[in-house]
Amino acid sequence: MDQAKAEERVNELRERLETYGYHYYVLDDPIVPDAEYDEKLSELLELEQQFPELQSGDSPTVRIGGKPLDAFVKVQHSIPMMSLGNAFHEQDLRDFDRRARQGTGESLDYVCELKIDGLAVSLTYENGRFVRGATRGDGTTGEDITNNLKTVGSIPLRLHSAVDIEVRGEVFMPKRSFERLNEAKEQTGEAVFANPRNAAAGSLRQLDPKIAANRNLDIFTYAIGNDGEMNTETHYEAVRYMTDLGFKTNPKSSWCRDIEEVIEFVNGWVEHRNSLPYEVDGIVVKVNSLKQQETLGFTAKSPRWAIAYKFPAEEKVTRLRDIILS
Ligand SMILES: NC(=O)c1c(N)nc(OC2CCCC2)nc1O[C@@H]1CCC[C@@H]1O
């Protein structure tokens, strides 16, 4: 096959694999059998090895993981990645609502999101292409883990439109993957991870991206960092904008007309928190209007327009097996 033919085939394979990957990882709705995806991926890999000048940093083959790094490079976040104030009781939520209504002098509507128990990351896109991913770090300085994040299938390598945007999300390891990983570690006598959050953090902190590629990590994006090229008025619309661009956002998020509906939503999830295939440690409540968010602003550490309701800690029932083996 000559170079021109190879280039045509490479581009066709990339388009198809990106579409297959989007349906499989972002929509959780595969449109081809895994075998077909693997077959096309290995054909693309072969062509890229045969014609190295055709290689590209956002080819689906980067999902396999490239060369290990010697160290992680530090990254300054253009806009700090804040933490969240905590609420532990219904009254804390009512106090939060009262303060926010006093701060704006207006009534407020909210968006409630499951608080994913993972690792916060920042994703930067230029012209719609994924160019840098970083850990939150201390909120101002994180670590460049771009190559590891490129192995996460639900992080788009190219967006549905060629915009410059920076988004934030939570990378997590689904419970099933966590159990399988720990079983494998027990088999080889390695130390197991205490929980999926540590497993996700440990996987992203590997210098060798091939390790992250095998850890079945996933992401939900939940905030736009820079104001990008969107002109939305509410957080709810901003999340829809991210979804339309090709990001994975959490389908359980809900608009709430007032704090009463927020409390209803929170109480509903206290009961059902274990019914999810991933760990959540609470609910994030956000003032929906971006103008009201701006009016309320930030404390040194966290926004005045958002709060995290933390679920009561569950007493960890030690598995009988652990008692016998210990
Ligand atoms: N873990 C989450 O699911 C989550 C979320 N759904 N939404 C936000 O909104 C940000 C935006 C402004 C301040 C917090 N943050 C989240 O997690 C934060 C990131 C850093 C500390 C918390 O884990």
Side-chain angles (χ1 to χ4, degrees), residues 82-84 113-116 120 136 170 222-223 284 286 303 305:
M82 310 302 280
S83 58
L84 281 165
E113 300 172 349
L114 297 182
K115 187 170 181 299
I116 312 302
R136 175 170 168 267
E170 200 86 359
Y222 52 62
V284 181
K286 298 175 180 176
W305 45 265

Side-chain angles (χ1 to χ4, degrees), residues 11 14 26 43 75 80 120 142 173 176 210 226 239 243 246 251 259 277 280 290 308 312 319 325:
N11 290 332
R14 284 178 182 161
V26 176
E43 184 192 344
V75 168
M173 184 181 290
R176 187 74 200 89
K210 285 190 172 44
N226 66 353
V239 173
T243 313
I259 198 66
V280 293
L290 298 182
R319 288 179 299 182
L325 291 178

Side-chain angles (χ1 to χ4, degrees), residues 45 61-69 146-148 150-151 206-213:
L45 206 57
T61 50
V62 301
R63 301 287 193 197
I64 301 168
K67 284 190 299 301
L69 296 173
T146 307
N147 290 346
N148 284 343
K150 282 186 171 182
T151 71
Q206 295 293 325
L207 290 166
D208 178 358
K210 285 190 172 44
I211 297 176

